[in-house]
Amino acid sequence: MTEAAPLPRNGGFDYLIVGAGFAGAVLAERLARDAGKRVLIVDRRPHIGGNAYDRYDDAGILIHPYGPHIFHTNSKDVFEYLSRFTAWRPYEHRVLASVDGQQLPIPINLDTVNGLYGLNLTAFEVESFFASVAEPVEQVRTSEDVVVSKVGRDLYQKFFRGYTRKQWGLDPSELDASVTARVPTRTNRDNRYFTDTYQAMPLHGYTRMFEAMLDHPNIKVMLNTDYREIVDLVPWGHMIYTGPVDAFFDHCHGKLPYRSLDFVHETHPVEQFQAVGTVNYPNDYGYTRISEFKHITGQRHPHTSVVYEYPRAEGDPYYPVPRPENAELYKKYEALTRTRTDVTFVGRLATYRYYNMDQVVAQALATYRRLQGDKAEATER
Ligand code: FAD
Ligand code: UDP
């Protein structure tokens, strides 16, 4: 065990970290373990892990209460960093989309096109097929442009338009290209959702990994606590804030849109509910997708648990909404963050970026290096 650092002179904490998700936990870990700082990390939820939190449900099945979280990254640094806190189980996610009465691979690939249209094209021929149906777009700006310029209108309408309208409450033409660009198009038969170098799930789950990160004598964890309840009671030197940026500034420039979801969890008395980890429903039902956890975690159990995702305008903030007017509004809040030299803003909600877990870890590690650099510079001055 590491010796606890002496308390700062005022008896308080060097850092108050708001939010115990990836952004907060990485910074708490680095500041305590690497820099010997005393850290108080608070979360208003009753658990650590943020949206990546997992737990065993009443049936004894490991579930992700906030929707399926699949870890994937191309960053060796991020993977090696997290590997200090968990062993891994290799897992490559596969997704089918329910379209025209069939379940077909998404991202769209050779098998998707052959299955949908009853064709027998080769990889070479499907490339010409895409070229023949693609609608040229002068400048790819929106989420509609990305898809129609690659695979044409029919595939766009069947696989993307309905899903996107449901998920975001907006037409793809109203969203930045970056949203649907997350899902590529393939001419081969690769039916993996991701192609990253590292694809694996924490062997004992995310929560166990977070527990290992935060297990340090210099880190105090306070749950069920909105930071506003304690911010004036507990002395702290610097704050790291990972909640929604507009809430920090009391929505003074108006509400920054975050998309929400309702998660409906079910357990079924069968071993397997569906063929793959996630099935997308672009055109039917109020939900966008159903995910079955045992595929993802590898757990064996006679029963199985699934989650349905119903997109909502109101509720807990889960997704920033990438579109030009929101970027403009975010800029106003970003300008305010620069006036708060006592606070650092990190993570998906605080920097209003549609980041995956690995990107948040990378952002948090970079933030740590910057904080250490700033300190070194201040000492030199
Ligand atoms: P969060 O995890 O949101 O943590 C922020 C924390 O701050 C929360 O716990 C919140 O309670 C707390 N907080 C906020 N305000 C306050 C306050 N006032 N006082 C105290 N605490 C506060 N990424 C992937 O890489 N792969 C996936 O498969 C994947 N699937 C996803 C599925 C869904 C449905 C969603 C919503 C996201 C998914 N993600 C996935 C993204 C992933 O969840 C995020 O990248 C990551 O969890 C963000 O970490 P964070 O620390 O920035 O934010
Ligand atoms: N998308 C779609 N159809 C699909 C899968 C994705 O239209 O079958 C679009 C949709 O707009 C979605 C975006 O692509 O929000 C990004 O998909 P991803 O699976 O990365 O979403 P996430 O897992 O972040 O919710």
Side-chain angles (χ1 to χ4, degrees):
M1 288 247 282
T2 326
E3 277 286 295
L7 278 171
R9 249 188 315 212
N10 60 8
F13 293 88
D14 298 306
Y15 285 86
L16 169 61
I17 301 187
V18 180
F22 268 103
V26 168
L27 276 152
E29 189 280 331
R30 289 289 73 204
L31 286 164
R33 196 168 279 125
D34 190 56
K37 301 295 181 192
R38 289 187 53 92
V39 175
L40 173 63
I41 182 165
V42 300
D43 204 299
R44 61 183 169 203
R45 288 171 170 168
H47 57 74
I48 57 173
N51 287 335
Y53 166 70
D54 55 13
R55 69 171 178 87
Y56 286 88
D57 66 10
D58 290 345
I61 297 165
L62 184 62
I63 61 160
H64 300 172
Y66 305 101
H69 277 68
I70 294 103
F71 187 80
H72 56 101
T73 189
N74 283 317
S75 165
K76 187 164 182 271
D77 283 355
V78 166
F79 191 70
E80 284 182 351
Y81 170 72
L82 292 178
S83 301
R84 298 179 196 177
F85 312 105
T86 187
W88 300 93
R89 166 187 181 260
Y91 171 70
E92 294 184 317
H93 196 47
R94 286 181 169 76
V95 180
L96 295 172
S98 170
V99 171
D100 289 355
Q102 298 193 68
Q103 294 200 345
L104 298 161
I106 178 90
I108 292 172
N109 69 10
L110 178 59
D111 289 330
T112 313
V113 173
N114 282 337
L116 183 70
Y117 297 119
L119 298 171
N120 200 12
L121 304 179
T122 62
F124 186 65
E125 287 164 345
V126 82
E127 222 170 298
S128 317
F129 170 82
F130 286 145
S132 73
V133 293
E135 287 181 15
V137 174
E138 214 164 274
Q139 200 201 344
V140 174
R141 274 186 313 105
T142 73
S143 269
E144 175 181 332
D145 298 342
V146 171
V147 184
V148 298
S149 66
K150 276 202 199 124
V151 299
R153 203 146 291 268
D154 192 50
L155 288 166
Y156 162 71
Q157 276 169 352
K158 291 192 160 123
F159 288 85
F160 285 89
R161 186 167 173 270
Y163 187 110
T164 301
R165 290 173 75 104
K166 226 190 306 188
Q167 168 72 8
W168 301 96
L170 293 167
D171 190 79
S173 60
E174 299 171 291
L175 279 165
D176 287 358
S178 60
V179 176
T180 53
R182 289 167 60 89
V183 183
T185 305
R186 305 200 180 115
T187 53
N188 58 19
R189 303 185 62 197
D190 187 348
N191 61 1
R192 295 171 305 163
Y193 205 61
F194 309 109
T195 51
D196 301 51
T197 313
Y198 305 95
Q199 304 190 43
M201 296 294 293
L203 188 60
H204 303 293
Y206 289 101
T207 303
R208 288 278 288 275
M209 182 181 76
F210 278 93
E211 282 167 1
M213 292 171 84
L214 297 177
D215 179 20
H216 190 278
N218 285 9
I219 302 178
K220 278 255 174 301
V221 181
M222 191 184 260
L223 300 175
N224 295 303
T225 307
D226 192 300
Y227 82 98
R228 287 166 201 257
E229 294 171 56
I230 54 104
V231 70
D232 296 324
L233 301 178
V234 180
W236 48 270
H238 189 85
M239 185 192 294
I240 290 174
Y241 179 83
T242 75
V245 65
D246 60 340
F248 185 88
F249 295 105
D250 298 322
H251 307 102
C252 64
H253 292 307
K255 271 191 124 180
L256 194 50
Y258 290 91
R259 193 70 173 158
S260 190
L261 293 169
D262 273 353
F263 300 102
V264 175
H265 290 267
E266 285 177 358
T267 300
H268 292 266
V270 294
E271 247 196 276
Q272 189 178 302
F273 181 84
Q274 60 189 25
V276 289
T278 298
V279 178
N280 288 354
Y281 291 86
N283 306 310
D284 313 301
Y285 313 113
Y287 47 85
T288 49
R289 58 188 179 191
I290 305 177
S291 298
E292 182 175 6
F293 294 106
K294 280 167 57 190
H295 286 285
I296 299 167
T297 59
Q299 189 180 356
R300 286 170 176 269
H301 194 287
H303 295 174
T304 194
S305 294
V306 298
V307 64
Y308 295 68
E309 293 173 48
Y310 291 85
R312 299 278 184 255
E314 299 298 327
D316 276 1
Y318 291 124
Y319 291 83
V321 183
R323 59 190 309 221
E325 46 268 69
N326 298 348
E328 280 304 304
L329 183 53
Y330 170 63
K331 267 194 205 149
K332 291 192 187 169
Y333 283 110
E334 196 189 16
L336 283 179
T337 66
R338 284 195 293 269
T339 67
R340 291 297 302 259
T341 50
D342 56 335
V343 183
T344 300
F345 296 79
V346 201
R348 173 151 148 148
L349 304 171
T351 62
Y352 206 66
R353 291 201 172 89
Y354 188 176
Y355 271 169
N356 294 326
M357 295 180 281
D358 64 317
Q359 295 170 298
V360 171
V361 173
Q363 188 194 37
L365 291 173
T367 303
Y368 173 67
R369 286 192 295 270
R370 213 179 54 238
L371 285 170
Q372 291 303 97
D374 286 354
K375 203 191 70 193
E377 241 174 59
T379 328
E380 275 164 29
R381 258 186 261 132

Short mmCIF file of all heavy atoms in Angstrom, two decimals, residues 78-103:
data_model
loop_
_atom_site.label_atom_id
_atom_site.label_comp_id
_atom_site.label_asym_id
_atom_site.label_seq_id
_atom_site.Cartn_x
_atom_site.Cartn_y
_atom_site.Cartn_z
N VAL A 78 -3.95 3.34 -24.06
CA VAL A 78 -5.20 3.24 -23.30
C VAL A 78 -5.40 1.80 -22.83
O VAL A 78 -5.74 1.54 -21.67
CB VAL A 78 -6.41 3.72 -24.14
CG1 VAL A 78 -7.74 3.32 -23.51
CG2 VAL A 78 -6.34 5.25 -24.33
N PHE A 79 -5.17 0.84 -23.74
CA PHE A 79 -5.39 -0.55 -23.38
C PHE A 79 -4.42 -0.98 -22.27
O PHE A 79 -4.82 -1.64 -21.30
CB PHE A 79 -5.25 -1.46 -24.61
CG PHE A 79 -5.72 -2.85 -24.36
CD1 PHE A 79 -7.08 -3.12 -24.20
CD2 PHE A 79 -4.82 -3.90 -24.27
CE1 PHE A 79 -7.53 -4.41 -23.94
CE2 PHE A 79 -5.26 -5.19 -24.01
CZ PHE A 79 -6.62 -5.45 -23.85
N GLU A 80 -3.16 -0.57 -22.40
CA GLU A 80 -2.18 -0.96 -21.37
C GLU A 80 -2.49 -0.29 -20.04
O GLU A 80 -2.34 -0.90 -18.98
CB GLU A 80 -0.76 -0.62 -21.84
CG GLU A 80 -0.30 -1.64 -22.88
CD GLU A 80 1.11 -1.41 -23.37
OE1 GLU A 80 1.72 -0.36 -23.05
OE2 GLU A 80 1.61 -2.30 -24.10
N TYR A 81 -2.93 0.96 -20.11
CA TYR A 81 -3.28 1.66 -18.86
C TYR A 81 -4.40 0.90 -18.13
O TYR A 81 -4.27 0.56 -16.95
CB TYR A 81 -3.69 3.11 -19.15
CG TYR A 81 -4.26 3.78 -17.93
CD1 TYR A 81 -3.44 4.14 -16.86
CD2 TYR A 81 -5.63 4.01 -17.82
CE1 TYR A 81 -3.97 4.71 -15.72
CE2 TYR A 81 -6.17 4.59 -16.68
CZ TYR A 81 -5.33 4.93 -15.63
OH TYR A 81 -5.87 5.48 -14.49
N LEU A 82 -5.48 0.59 -18.84
CA LEU A 82 -6.61 -0.09 -18.19
C LEU A 82 -6.25 -1.51 -17.75
O LEU A 82 -6.80 -2.02 -16.78
CB LEU A 82 -7.84 -0.11 -19.11
CG LEU A 82 -8.48 1.25 -19.38
CD1 LEU A 82 -9.65 1.11 -20.36
CD2 LEU A 82 -8.97 1.92 -18.08
N SER A 83 -5.29 -2.11 -18.45
CA SER A 83 -4.88 -3.48 -18.11
C SER A 83 -4.21 -3.55 -16.74
O SER A 83 -4.03 -4.64 -16.19
CB SER A 83 -3.93 -4.03 -19.17
OG SER A 83 -4.57 -4.02 -20.43
N ARG A 84 -3.85 -2.40 -16.16
CA ARG A 84 -3.32 -2.41 -14.79
C ARG A 84 -4.41 -2.75 -13.79
O ARG A 84 -4.13 -3.10 -12.65
CB ARG A 84 -2.79 -1.02 -14.42
CG ARG A 84 -1.65 -0.56 -15.28
CD ARG A 84 -1.23 0.83 -14.82
NE ARG A 84 -0.41 1.46 -15.82
CZ ARG A 84 0.05 2.70 -15.73
NH1 ARG A 84 -0.22 3.43 -14.66
NH2 ARG A 84 0.78 3.22 -16.70
N PHE A 85 -5.67 -2.59 -14.21
CA PHE A 85 -6.79 -2.72 -13.26
C PHE A 85 -7.73 -3.88 -13.57
O PHE A 85 -8.69 -4.11 -12.84
CB PHE A 85 -7.59 -1.40 -13.21
CG PHE A 85 -6.70 -0.22 -13.06
CD1 PHE A 85 -6.45 0.63 -14.14
CD2 PHE A 85 -6.05 0.02 -11.85
CE1 PHE A 85 -5.58 1.70 -14.01
CE2 PHE A 85 -5.17 1.08 -11.72
CZ PHE A 85 -4.94 1.92 -12.80
N THR A 86 -7.50 -4.55 -14.68
CA THR A 86 -8.37 -5.68 -15.03
C THR A 86 -7.66 -6.65 -15.96
O THR A 86 -6.77 -6.25 -16.71
CB THR A 86 -9.67 -5.17 -15.71
OG1 THR A 86 -10.56 -6.29 -15.87
CG2 THR A 86 -9.42 -4.55 -17.08
N ALA A 87 -8.08 -7.92 -15.88
CA ALA A 87 -7.75 -8.88 -16.94
C ALA A 87 -8.89 -8.77 -17.96
O ALA A 87 -9.91 -8.12 -17.69
CB ALA A 87 -7.68 -10.28 -16.35
N TRP A 88 -8.72 -9.37 -19.12
CA TRP A 88 -9.70 -9.18 -20.18
C TRP A 88 -10.23 -10.50 -20.72
O TRP A 88 -9.55 -11.52 -20.66
CB TRP A 88 -9.07 -8.42 -21.36
CG TRP A 88 -8.56 -7.06 -21.01
CD1 TRP A 88 -7.27 -6.75 -20.64
CD2 TRP A 88 -9.29 -5.83 -21.01
NE1 TRP A 88 -7.17 -5.39 -20.41
CE2 TRP A 88 -8.39 -4.80 -20.64
CE3 TRP A 88 -10.62 -5.48 -21.28
CZ2 TRP A 88 -8.76 -3.47 -20.52
CZ3 TRP A 88 -10.99 -4.15 -21.18
CH2 TRP A 88 -10.07 -3.16 -20.80
N ARG A 89 -11.41 -10.41 -21.33
CA ARG A 89 -11.95 -11.53 -22.10
C ARG A 89 -12.12 -11.03 -23.53
O ARG A 89 -12.87 -10.08 -23.78
CB ARG A 89 -13.31 -11.92 -21.53
CG ARG A 89 -14.08 -12.83 -22.45
CD ARG A 89 -15.50 -13.09 -21.99
NE ARG A 89 -16.12 -13.99 -22.94
CZ ARG A 89 -16.95 -13.60 -23.91
NH1 ARG A 89 -17.28 -12.33 -24.05
NH2 ARG A 89 -17.44 -14.48 -24.75
N PRO A 90 -11.40 -11.64 -24.50
CA PRO A 90 -11.54 -11.17 -25.88
C PRO A 90 -12.99 -11.26 -26.33
O PRO A 90 -13.67 -12.24 -26.04
CB PRO A 90 -10.67 -12.15 -26.68
CG PRO A 90 -9.76 -12.79 -25.69
CD PRO A 90 -10.49 -12.78 -24.38
N TYR A 91 -13.48 -10.21 -26.97
CA TYR A 91 -14.87 -10.23 -27.47
C TYR A 91 -14.99 -9.30 -28.68
O TYR A 91 -14.62 -8.13 -28.60
CB TYR A 91 -15.85 -9.77 -26.38
CG TYR A 91 -17.25 -9.56 -26.93
CD1 TYR A 91 -18.00 -10.66 -27.35
CD2 TYR A 91 -17.79 -8.28 -27.08
CE1 TYR A 91 -19.27 -10.48 -27.89
CE2 TYR A 91 -19.06 -8.10 -27.62
CZ TYR A 91 -19.79 -9.20 -28.03
OH TYR A 91 -21.03 -9.03 -28.57
N GLU A 92 -15.50 -9.85 -29.79
CA GLU A 92 -15.77 -9.02 -30.96
C GLU A 92 -17.28 -8.93 -31.15
O GLU A 92 -17.95 -9.95 -31.32
CB GLU A 92 -15.10 -9.65 -32.20
CG GLU A 92 -13.59 -9.61 -32.08
CD GLU A 92 -12.87 -10.12 -33.33
OE1 GLU A 92 -13.31 -11.15 -33.89
OE2 GLU A 92 -11.90 -9.48 -33.75
N HIS A 93 -17.77 -7.70 -31.11
CA HIS A 93 -19.22 -7.47 -31.15
C HIS A 93 -19.77 -7.68 -32.56
O HIS A 93 -19.14 -7.25 -33.54
CB HIS A 93 -19.47 -6.02 -30.71
CG HIS A 93 -20.89 -5.73 -30.32
ND1 HIS A 93 -21.64 -6.53 -29.50
CD2 HIS A 93 -21.71 -4.68 -30.65
CE1 HIS A 93 -22.84 -6.01 -29.33
NE2 HIS A 93 -22.92 -4.89 -30.02
N ARG A 94 -20.92 -8.32 -32.65
CA ARG A 94 -21.61 -8.47 -33.93
C ARG A 94 -23.03 -7.97 -33.79
O ARG A 94 -23.67 -8.19 -32.76
CB ARG A 94 -21.57 -9.93 -34.39
CG ARG A 94 -20.18 -10.29 -34.88
CD ARG A 94 -20.03 -11.70 -35.37
NE ARG A 94 -18.75 -11.86 -36.05
CZ ARG A 94 -17.57 -11.96 -35.45
NH1 ARG A 94 -17.48 -11.93 -34.14
NH2 ARG A 94 -16.45 -12.08 -36.15
N VAL A 95 -23.51 -7.28 -34.83
CA VAL A 95 -24.83 -6.67 -34.79
C VAL A 95 -25.60 -7.05 -36.05
O VAL A 95 -25.03 -7.06 -37.15
CB VAL A 95 -24.72 -5.12 -34.69
CG1 VAL A 95 -26.11 -4.48 -34.64
CG2 VAL A 95 -23.89 -4.71 -33.47
N LEU A 96 -26.89 -7.39 -35.88
CA LEU A 96 -27.76 -7.62 -37.03
C LEU A 96 -28.83 -6.55 -37.04
O LEU A 96 -29.25 -6.08 -35.97
CB LEU A 96 -28.42 -9.01 -36.92
CG LEU A 96 -27.47 -10.21 -37.01
CD1 LEU A 96 -28.22 -11.52 -36.68
CD2 LEU A 96 -26.84 -10.30 -38.41
N ALA A 97 -29.28 -6.16 -38.23
CA ALA A 97 -30.38 -5.19 -38.33
C ALA A 97 -31.60 -5.92 -38.88
O ALA A 97 -31.49 -6.69 -39.85
CB ALA A 97 -29.97 -4.04 -39.25
N SER A 98 -32.74 -5.67 -38.25
CA SER A 98 -33.97 -6.31 -38.68
C SER A 98 -34.61 -5.45 -39.79
O SER A 98 -35.15 -4.38 -39.52
CB SER A 98 -34.91 -6.43 -37.46
OG SER A 98 -36.17 -6.83 -37.88
N VAL A 99 -34.50 -5.92 -41.02
CA VAL A 99 -34.96 -5.14 -42.19
C VAL A 99 -35.72 -6.04 -43.15
O VAL A 99 -35.24 -7.14 -43.49
CB VAL A 99 -33.74 -4.51 -42.93
CG1 VAL A 99 -34.17 -3.89 -44.25
CG2 VAL A 99 -33.08 -3.44 -42.07
N ASP A 100 -36.89 -5.63 -43.57
CA ASP A 100 -37.71 -6.38 -44.53
C ASP A 100 -37.87 -7.85 -44.11
O ASP A 100 -37.75 -8.77 -44.94
CB ASP A 100 -37.07 -6.34 -45.94
CG ASP A 100 -37.19 -4.96 -46.58
OD1 ASP A 100 -37.85 -4.08 -45.97
OD2 ASP A 100 -36.63 -4.75 -47.68
N GLY A 101 -38.08 -8.07 -42.83
CA GLY A 101 -38.33 -9.43 -42.34
C GLY A 101 -37.11 -10.31 -42.22
O GLY A 101 -37.21 -11.50 -41.92
N GLN A 102 -35.91 -9.75 -42.45
CA GLN A 102 -34.68 -10.53 -42.28
C GLN A 102 -33.78 -9.87 -41.24
O GLN A 102 -33.91 -8.69 -40.98
CB GLN A 102 -33.88 -10.54 -43.60
CG GLN A 102 -34.56 -11.18 -44.77
CD GLN A 102 -33.54 -11.41 -45.88
OE1 GLN A 102 -32.64 -12.23 -45.75
NE2 GLN A 102 -33.65 -10.66 -46.97
N GLN A 103 -32.85 -10.65 -40.69
CA GLN A 103 -31.84 -10.06 -39.82
C GLN A 103 -30.52 -10.09 -40.58
O GLN A 103 -29.97 -11.16 -40.86
CB GLN A 103 -31.75 -10.83 -38.50
CG GLN A 103 -33.05 -10.67 -37.70
CD GLN A 103 -32.90 -10.97 -36.21
OE1 GLN A 103 -31.92 -11.56 -35.78
NE2 GLN A 103 -33.89 -10.57 -35.43
#
